[in-house]
Structures are given as C-alpha cells and as structure tokens.
C-alpha cells in the first residue's frame, strides 16, 4: 500500500491535536506532585496488555535510579513534603515475580517499594488478566518478609473488581475487609488504598474515606495542577519503555515529551484494562 503524502502529514497533525487536548484537559504538571512509578509484572513471559517488564529491563531502570541519586521514601513523606529526588515505586497486584525478581535487585540498590496486594488473592493465581500464563500473587510469608525489609503495603481491595459497579454493601466489604485482612497479617496499620484498574467515582471515593484510609491512588491525575488525595496519579512503566522514558517521567521535562509519555500511558492503560475485563 502506498501512503499518500497527505496521509503521512496527518499523523503529526493528529499527534499535535492530541497533545493540545492533553494540556487543556489535564493542565501543566506541577513539579511538586509526588513522583510515582508503577510496575505490574517483572517477568520474561509476555502478557497481553503489555503491563510487564523483563527482568533485564527492570534492573536497568533500578540501576538508572540509583546512579542518578533517586531515593525511595515513605508514602507519608512523599505526600507531605516531597523532595526533588524522592520517589515511590509501586508494584500493583503484588505478583510473586516481584518477590523473586524485583526484590533482590532493589535490596542490592538499597531501594524499597510499595506493594499493592489484593487481599482475597494472597498466594493465589491471578484471574482478571488475560494472557499466555496465569501469574501467581505473593503469599503471606513473602508479603511479611518484604514488609519487614521496609516495603510498604497498601490495600488493593478484596477481589479486584471495577468498584464503580458495586453496591454500597460490597464497597464496604472491599474497603474494610481488605484493610482488616492485611492489618491482621502484617500487624501494621494499612493507611492507603489503590483502586482496581484505577477506576473510581464519588461513591467509591467515599467508601474508601469512610473505611478510614488517609489517601488513595488512581492511575492518573485528573488535573495536573492540584492534588486530589483520594485520586493520586502515577506513571506506569511498560514493556516498550526505555530509560529515556523513565527520565522524562521523573523530570517532567521537556513538557511536550512528558505530555507524550502521559498520553501514551493512558492509551496503553485503556487497552490493558480492556484486555483484563473482556471475558475470553
Ligand atoms: Zn490491580
């Protein structure tokens, strides 16, 4: 197929329109926003939604952070007074491969992270992602060991459902029972929540507040110029990302490239969410 020059010209034009839309909708990012990068699976087995990184790739990201003076801090500190090179590293769904592959590399580099286990799936195989393989979640002993090594644990619900579709009773169960389960297991207070698939509405937010959480994390900042402490945005690292992408995400400049990273993440997230909720 021969592409007409007009069609080729359309690509940068569409891209520019997308970028302007991003800027108008989400505003200019504030440099004081907490810097949070997220990973799902660290594995050499491909996954349909692209939410995995190879072990080698993860190691190169962690060594980049270490070499460039980035430090991991506690969530409390990052939300109250984030310093320029302080970051959070999230591990959504707390897969067993995080314990096996990511934990040794992070220990070696003196970094810690935030684990987000689904309380009803501890030690069980994942049921909501569609891929070539069912990934197992960390078991109780693995969570305890990483918690004792300085990793923070936050609640990611009981069942990893789209919480916008749940009734009031189920919302209470997802928020309070997951909190209690993790508190009993770790003997530590669980103060933070992360929405399954990053999806929430006002009812979901209220259920999280009423269950006694201090803040909650979503996938993105709805508005980049102000922090909603019950929908704090993050940037996810995907299989297609390089250290250059990581650098842009953490420095948030140049702004047009950060806009590109953010847009790219939103599009991939949309597809991976779709691959996770379709019934195959
Ligand atoms: Zn999740």
């Amino acid at each position: 197929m021969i592409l007409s020059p007009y069609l080729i010209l359309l690509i940068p034009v569409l891209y520019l329109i997308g970028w302007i839309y991003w800027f108008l909708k989400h505003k200019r990012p504030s440099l004081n926003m907490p810097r949070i990068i997220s990973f799902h699976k660290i594995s050499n087995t491909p996954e349909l939604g692209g939410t995995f990184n190879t072990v080698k790739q993860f190691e190169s990201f962690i060594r980049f952070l270490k070499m460039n003076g980035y430090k991991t801090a506690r969530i409390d500190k990052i939300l109250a007074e984030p310093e320029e090179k302080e970051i959070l590293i999230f591990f959504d769904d707390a897969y067993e491969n995080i314990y096996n592959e990511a934990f040794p590399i992070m220990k070696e580099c003196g970094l810690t992270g935030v684990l987000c286990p689904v309380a009803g799936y501890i030690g069980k195989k994942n049921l909501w992602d569609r891929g070539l393989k069912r990934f197992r979640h960390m078991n109780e002993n693995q969570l305890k060991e990483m918690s004792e090594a300085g990793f923070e644990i936050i609640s990611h619900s009981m069942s990893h459902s789209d919480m916008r579709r749940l009734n009031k009773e189920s919302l209470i169960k997802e928020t309070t029972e997951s909190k209690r389960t993790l508190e009993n297991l770790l003997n530590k207070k669980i103060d933070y929540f992360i929405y399954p698939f990053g999806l929430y509405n006002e009812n979901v937010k209220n259920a999280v507040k009423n269950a006694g959480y201090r803040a909650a994390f979503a996938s993105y900042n709805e508005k980049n110029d102000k922090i909603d402490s019950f929908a704090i945005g993050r940037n996810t690292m995907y299989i297609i990302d390089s250290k250059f992408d990581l650098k842009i995400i953490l420095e948030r400049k140049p702004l047009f490239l950060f806009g590109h990273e953010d847009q790219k993440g939103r599009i991939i997230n949309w597809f991976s969410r779709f691959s996770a909720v379709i019934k195959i």
Side-chain angles (χ1 to χ4, degrees):
M1 189 179 75
I2 299 161
L3 284 175
S4 101
Y6 295 109
L7 266 178
I8 293 172
L9 202 66
L10 199 62
I11 297 167
V13 171
L14 283 177
Y15 180 82
L16 189 67
I17 292 170
W19 198 93
I20 293 168
Y21 173 78
W22 173 83
F23 190 80
L24 293 176
K25 186 165 186 228
H26 305 293
K27 311 289 182 219
R28 188 190 181 88
S30 153
L31 283 180
N32 289 326
M33 280 285 202
R35 283 173 170 72
I36 308 173
I37 54 167
S38 290
F39 295 92
H40 284 79
K41 303 167 190 102
I42 308 300
S43 160
N44 294 327
T45 307
E47 194 262 342
L48 202 62
T51 53
F52 74 102
N53 299 90
T54 65
V55 178
K56 219 172 138 190
Q57 190 184 22
F58 177 77
E59 183 164 4
S60 80
F61 289 153
I62 293 301
R63 298 215 182 276
F64 170 88
L65 295 174
K66 181 83 184 157
M67 264 170 55
N68 288 280
Y70 285 99
K71 284 176 291 197
T72 45
R74 308 286 300 171
I75 298 175
D76 291 353
K77 170 75 168 63
I78 295 265
L79 296 187
E81 39 176 349
E83 283 170 33
E84 206 193 317
K85 293 240 163 169
E86 279 183 340
I87 61 164
L88 290 173
I89 303 174
F90 272 48
F91 295 100
D92 289 32
D93 310 331
Y95 290 98
E96 192 175 40
N97 52 49
I98 303 305
Y99 176 84
N100 292 331
E101 310 290 357
F103 187 30
I105 299 166
M106 292 186 73
K107 250 196 297 200
E108 196 196 312
C109 292
L111 300 175
T112 58
V114 177
L115 302 173
C116 317
V118 179
Y121 278 86
I122 294 171
K124 294 183 186 163
K125 279 194 175 175
N126 173 283
L127 282 181
W128 59 89
D129 272 348
R130 308 286 160 194
L132 299 174
K133 185 185 160 193
R134 295 255 173 248
F135 288 87
R136 189 175 291 283
H137 299 273
M138 266 185 232
N139 64 31
E140 293 189 347
N141 289 336
Q142 291 164 338
L143 285 170
K144 275 187 201 166
E145 189 184 331
M146 286 185 76
S147 167
E148 276 154 27
F151 281 66
E152 276 185 89
I153 313 258
I154 69 175
S155 168
H156 195 24
S157 81
M158 277 311 285
S159 67
H160 209 282
S161 308
D162 175 354
M163 291 175 75
R164 300 170 307 173
R165 294 162 192 263
L166 301 180
N167 61 26
K168 207 174 167 192
E169 208 175 289
S170 304
L171 282 178
I172 293 173
K173 191 172 171 248
E174 293 285 338
T175 50
T176 56
E177 206 175 309
S178 60
K179 192 176 197 293
R180 199 171 41 232
T181 305
L182 295 174
E183 286 178 345
N184 289 343
L185 172 68
L186 303 162
N187 221 0
K188 285 180 182 169
K189 255 191 119 237
I190 303 295
D191 285 325
Y192 300 101
F193 190 86
I194 173 166
Y195 303 112
F197 309 109
L199 299 171
Y200 62 93
N201 59 19
E202 281 310 306
N203 287 341
V204 176
K205 266 194 202 175
N206 286 335
V208 170
K209 285 179 197 170
N210 294 338
Y213 293 96
R214 295 171 61 186
F217 297 89
S219 294
Y220 303 102
N221 292 309
E222 196 42 48
K223 287 271 181 281
N224 276 323
D225 55 349
K226 56 174 183 253
I227 299 178
D228 175 350
S229 55
F230 279 84
I232 302 166
R234 302 169 296 137
N235 285 98
T236 298
M237 302 308 297
Y238 297 99
I239 184 68
I240 55 169
D241 288 323
S242 66
K243 280 186 276 187
F244 180 71
D245 297 279
L246 179 61
K247 184 172 155 37
I248 298 294
I249 284 168
L250 292 174
E251 291 182 356
R252 291 181 185 162
K253 62 185 182 192
L255 189 62
F256 79 97
L257 279 183
F258 180 69
H260 161 77
E261 292 294 341
D262 190 82
Q263 282 277 37
K264 184 178 80 183
R266 283 172 205 264
I267 293 166
I268 297 173
N269 189 54
W270 189 86
F271 277 106
S272 63
R273 195 182 284 167
F274 178 72
S275 79
V277 293
I278 48 169
K279 300 271 177 277
I280 299 171

